[in-house]
Amino acid sequence: MGSKSIKGAEHVSSNGSGTSSSSSTIIGNSPSPKAPTASGDDEQTPLLTHSKSQNPGWQVIYRIRAFLMYQPRPLPLIHRTLPSNGTTVAVLAFIGLQIVYIFYNVSLSIPMLFVFADRTSLLFVANLPLLYLFAAKNQPIKILTGYSYESLNIFHRRLGEVMCLLALLHSGGMVGVWYTILRPTGFSLARFLLSKIILLGIGAFVAYELIYFTSLGSFRQRWYELFLALHVSLQVIALVLIWFHHHNSRPYVGAALAIFLVDRVVYRMALKVHSSRVSLEVCKDGRTVIMRDTIAVAQDWRFLAHFTDGGITRGWKATEHVFLTVPKLSRKQVIQAHPFTIASRPPCKGDAIAQLKLIIRAQDGFTGDLVRYAKSHSRVNVRIDGPYGSQNAMNLLQQSDLSIVIAGGSGIAVALPLLWALNSLCCSGDLEISAWKKSPARVVLIWVIRHGNHTNWVDRDLQMLQDIGIEVVIPRATAENGHPDVPNMIETRMFTHDHTFFHGRAKTGVVCSGPDGMNRAVRNICSSLAARGHNVDVEVEKFGW
């Protein structure tokens, strides 16, 4: 089997529900064993009754659900990561609506060229408030849908790309209007381009196209701090230029500016920001910093805070993150904020204090500077903006019979708070993760690490998780042994658990937080299982920019 049991083994509780005693398994390179058979079935057998699984109507539903769950391979050549098919369908429907608005009752002819150019400009400015709403950290869309801004970020990016295309079409259309209508009257190109309204439009067009190119994934990953600075400054410049470009754009520009100011000034700077002096600890790998702070939890808050989740002094929930500013590092860091997932247990109602913990891995830029600073300083003053995030992952696991949480590297910061919450370590009340319904019969943590010493980040937490009955699986480090077969681990545990305790009726919830490749592999094994009739669902916690 190539596995080594550290402590204890699985057992079945007396009430028939499956639990795992204090156990942690380290799995080597050899393939995980196939799930044992039950009543002549194997792991290919749908986990539903035969009458339901063999019904053609249900088969169609299974395949549609599996298709929407599936995540295609990255685009070749440019290596662009694609979302799940379900997200792609939603985005394409949204873009299709934009196309309908452009071409509705507009024929593709020279006499209608001005109408086409005007329509693209109207659609551009009408989309401005929605663009800023998708990007706002505090927004009503979360109240309506349960999805926080990071889940809606893909719509923000795609809408921004559509708007850049609309600006290009509008510019080309207006040049076409000059060529077909104004030029024959003696109106020169220089006179056309140097007119005030056109110059302002050209300036806005250049600003938005620069925003697009500096927002590409390759640019963001290489020059993240520059991306942040340009993204904000160019947006301000573009809004001013559009305001003066045409008077009909002003209501939309005003709405977009209002959304931006309410989000940034009222909420993020007045209600949700918290200044503190935190401790810094450099881990043994020399590239990871553990940041800790003791938060005095407020039981009452200002009136406006009740319309949001409040700031960090109001507590936080599993999977939520904060934006961190460390002015001491450099002058440019005074105005920059960087996102990090909270890795500590959420506070309970009535707690006077809570321990905030962030796991920060060194990359280029801010995180590298912070690690270097932490090697010679044990404390630093910071500003904490947040928390932010949605509870979709928590709700999924809470409603499942078997909960599997998969983390890759620093994705353990997402997994730990989820696991604490699933084991009822948080009390019911205002700070509870969500309305408590039931505890999963079995909870499994699979943590894929690159180096063996990474377990030092949270070794105490891992031991506590084992002590409360969570199965902790840590495959051998990928740097020495390659990538483990995570999909097979999921399928094996899911099949064994379902047939042992629930006779094919269990619901499995899977939450994954890790690199893109691992996220895709987990999502796609769940898609494959769903296509075979298994009652499985998956949530991927991937912070996107």
Side-chain angles (χ1 to χ4, degrees), residues 36 89 161 177 188 196 232 288 306 322 333 384 413 416 476 531:
V89 169
E161 293 167 358
V177 169
S188 67
K196 180 181 178 180
V232 175
T288 306
H306 292 287
V322 295
Q333 295 298 340
I384 301 172
L416 289 178
R476 300 189 187 280

Side-chain angles (χ1 to χ4, degrees), residues 326-336 366 369:
V326 187
K328 189 70 174 179
L329 295 183
S330 65
R331 290 182 179 179
K332 67 179 181 180
Q333 295 298 340
V334 174
I335 60 173
Q336 292 186 5
F366 168 77
D369 293 340

Side-chain angles (χ1 to χ4, degrees), residues 360-373:
I360 302 173
R361 288 280 290 156
Q363 304 292 334
D364 295 329
F366 168 77
T367 53
D369 293 340
L370 181 61
V371 170
R372 285 188 289 272
Y373 182 87

Side-chain angles (χ1 to χ4, degrees), residues 305-326:
H306 292 287
F307 292 95
T308 68
D309 295 326
I312 196 67
T313 56
R314 293 277 292 176
W316 61 88
K317 301 174 183 177
T319 73
E320 288 189 329
H321 60 274
V322 295
F323 284 85
L324 186 67
T325 300
V326 187

Side-chain angles (χ1 to χ4, degrees), residues 34-57:
K34 293 295 182 181
T37 61
S39 302
D41 295 336
D42 58 21
E43 68 273 14
Q44 304 299 322
T45 305
L47 300 183
L48 299 171
T49 60
H50 288 289
S51 60
K52 192 173 182 180
S53 63
Q54 294 176 0
N55 185 292

Side-chain angles (χ1 to χ4, degrees), residues 158-223:
R158 297 295 86 82
L159 179 57
E161 293 167 358
V162 168
M163 291 176 64
C164 287
L165 178 59
L166 289 173
L168 180 62
L169 294 174
H170 173 67
S171 301
M174 293 307 298
V175 171
V177 169
W178 165 81
Y179 186 82
T180 58
I181 299 177
L182 298 179
R183 186 182 64 87
T185 65
F187 203 93
S188 67
L189 179 61
R191 182 182 174 188
F192 173 76
L193 294 177
L194 294 177
S195 60
K196 180 181 178 180
I197 188 173
I198 299 300
L199 280 177
L200 290 169
I202 292 174
F205 170 76
V206 171
Y208 275 109
E209 296 306 316
L210 285 175
I211 290 174
Y212 168 72
F213 285 111
T214 57
S215 298
L216 294 174
S218 55
F219 188 96
R220 294 197 313 270
Q221 294 170 7
R222 182 170 297 182
W223 298 291

Side-chain angles (χ1 to χ4, degrees), residues 102-136:
I102 293 175
F103 293 104
Y104 178 75
N105 207 24
V106 175
S107 61
L108 297 177
S109 60
I110 296 298
M112 295 295 288
L113 186 59
F114 179 78
V115 176
F116 172 79
D118 189 57
R119 183 74 63 83
T120 55
S121 66
L122 289 173
L123 189 56
F124 180 94
V125 295
N127 275 317
L128 272 176
L130 188 58
L131 179 73
Y132 281 80
L133 193 61
F134 281 143

